[in-house]
Amino acid sequence: MGEISNGNHVVLDVKDDQSSSSKRPTNCKEDSSLSISVPFIQKLLAELLGTYFLIFAGCSSVAVNLNFDKVVTLPGISIVWGLAVMVLVYSVGHISGAHFNPAVTLAFATCKRFPWKQVPPYILCQVCGSTLAAGTIRLIFQGEQDKFTGTMPAGSDMQSFVVEFIITFYLMFIISGVATDNRAIGELAGLAIGSTVLLNVMFAGPISGASMNPARSLGPAIVSLKFKGLWVYLVSPTLGAQAGAWVYNMVRYTDKPLREITSSASFLKSRQSS
């Protein structure tokens, strides 16, 4: 779900360096508006498959819990979501950055840590992966077992909006800290991010479903044609992720002298050297 850092360098740099284009193999085909190369296609496939397996695992735990006398329970569902995120970050984080979340992708882009030209294909793959996973679950659980595994507000839309904003802010703040800051221990990024998802689902699940991810809510909604309160899960996580990323960027600068912060064009801008 973020760029995993190791030591003083980011292991995965999702930006296509134009200066290194001359060093690319001759079998790489490029388009004038978006670099289409084998590594970029691999990133998109990693996002598609990663989002698919994340939504399949998490939503399957919800379906099993609804169909088999609450056997999984809320703590069990929380653990499934957290572990799924953790293992996927470790498995494909070095390939695509392991975003699996349009809100995370947009937050990285606005902080200049992800190229804007790659945002649309990333989001498309994330939504497709979520929709395919929801479709697979619906094929497995048919008839009376066909339960809606998406997210809907348990109370008012505004209550869920506030909860989704806070938990997505929390998640993106953690992602920014452990996955983009060179001072953090990058090897623990997957564990920290997965644990944050687990905690959020544990207490926010009964209120809003603890989506934190527009793709997670959009995929099941498309498959089941249930769009009640969907706007909450498209808007609130996106705003929460933006706020979380920018607030961490503010915290990131606290080790600088005040005169250096105030002399810069904007202390909210991401450091180009990190």
Side-chain angles (χ1 to χ4, degrees):
M1 298 176 72
E3 298 175 355
I4 309 304
S5 61
N6 185 8
N8 294 324
H9 301 281
V10 176
V11 173
L12 169 64
D13 184 4
V14 292
K15 296 182 180 180
D16 288 336
D17 190 356
Q18 300 297 328
S19 62
S20 63
S21 59
S22 60
K23 299 180 181 179
R24 292 175 180 169
T26 56
N27 61 342
C28 290
K29 298 180 180 179
E30 296 192 3
D31 181 76
S32 58
S33 60
L34 177 65
S35 295
I36 303 298
S37 61
V38 172
F40 181 62
I41 294 175
Q42 290 172 333
K43 293 176 185 178
L44 296 182
L45 288 175
E47 283 296 303
L48 176 66
L49 293 173
T51 308
Y52 175 90
F53 289 125
L54 172 62
I55 303 304
F56 179 79
C59 290
S60 290
S61 68
V62 175
V64 171
N65 194 59
L66 292 173
N67 285 304
F68 298 98
D69 299 325
K70 309 294 182 180
V71 65
V72 182
T73 72
L74 176 61
I77 294 173
S78 304
I79 292 172
V80 170
W81 280 107
L83 288 179
V85 169
M86 182 185 71
V87 299
L88 287 168
V89 166
Y90 283 129
S91 61
V92 299
H94 56 286
I95 300 174
S96 69
H99 295 186
F100 313 140
N101 187 336
V104 171
T105 301
L106 287 170
F108 276 132
T110 58
C111 292
K112 298 182 179 180
R113 293 186 172 275
F114 189 80
W116 275 105
K117 64 182 180 180
Q118 293 186 10
V119 170
Y122 256 59
I123 292 179
L124 178 61
C125 288
Q126 292 157 359
V127 173
C128 288
S130 176
T131 305
L132 289 172
T136 303
I137 293 172
R138 191 168 188 183
L139 289 175
I140 295 173
F141 298 96
Q142 297 183 350
E144 295 183 356
Q145 291 186 340
D146 182 13
K147 308 291 186 181
F148 179 58
T149 59
T151 53
M152 285 194 298
S156 65
D157 285 359
M158 188 52 61
Q159 181 190 48
S160 292
F161 186 95
V162 173
V163 169
E164 286 293 323
F165 180 91
I166 293 173
I167 61 177
T168 311
F169 178 101
Y170 178 33
L171 175 63
M172 192 65 209
F173 189 87
I174 299 299
I175 293 173
S176 298
V178 300
T180 68
D181 198 324
N182 293 331
R183 296 167 295 181
I185 304 175
E187 292 79 3
L188 298 180
L191 180 61
I193 297 170
S195 299
T196 305
V197 172
L198 188 156
L199 291 172
N200 285 344
V201 176
M202 185 78 74
F203 73 85
I207 302 173
S208 66
S211 175
M212 300 170 280
N213 185 342
R216 181 263 180 271
S217 297
L218 185 58
I222 292 174
V223 171
S224 299
L225 298 178
K226 293 186 178 181
F227 303 102
K228 180 182 178 181
L230 181 62
W231 71 273
V232 171
Y233 304 101
L234 299 181
V235 177
S236 185
T238 302
L239 296 178
Q242 298 290 331
W246 284 104
V247 168
Y248 187 83
N249 278 347
M250 294 173 61
V251 175
R252 190 195 302 267
Y253 281 81
T254 54
D255 62 340
K256 287 189 172 185
L258 181 61
R259 62 178 180 274
E260 184 177 350
I261 296 176
T262 56
S263 65
S264 62
S266 173
F267 70 93
L268 290 177
K269 289 185 178 180
S270 176
R271 288 183 300 179
Q272 298 298 323
S273 60
S274 57

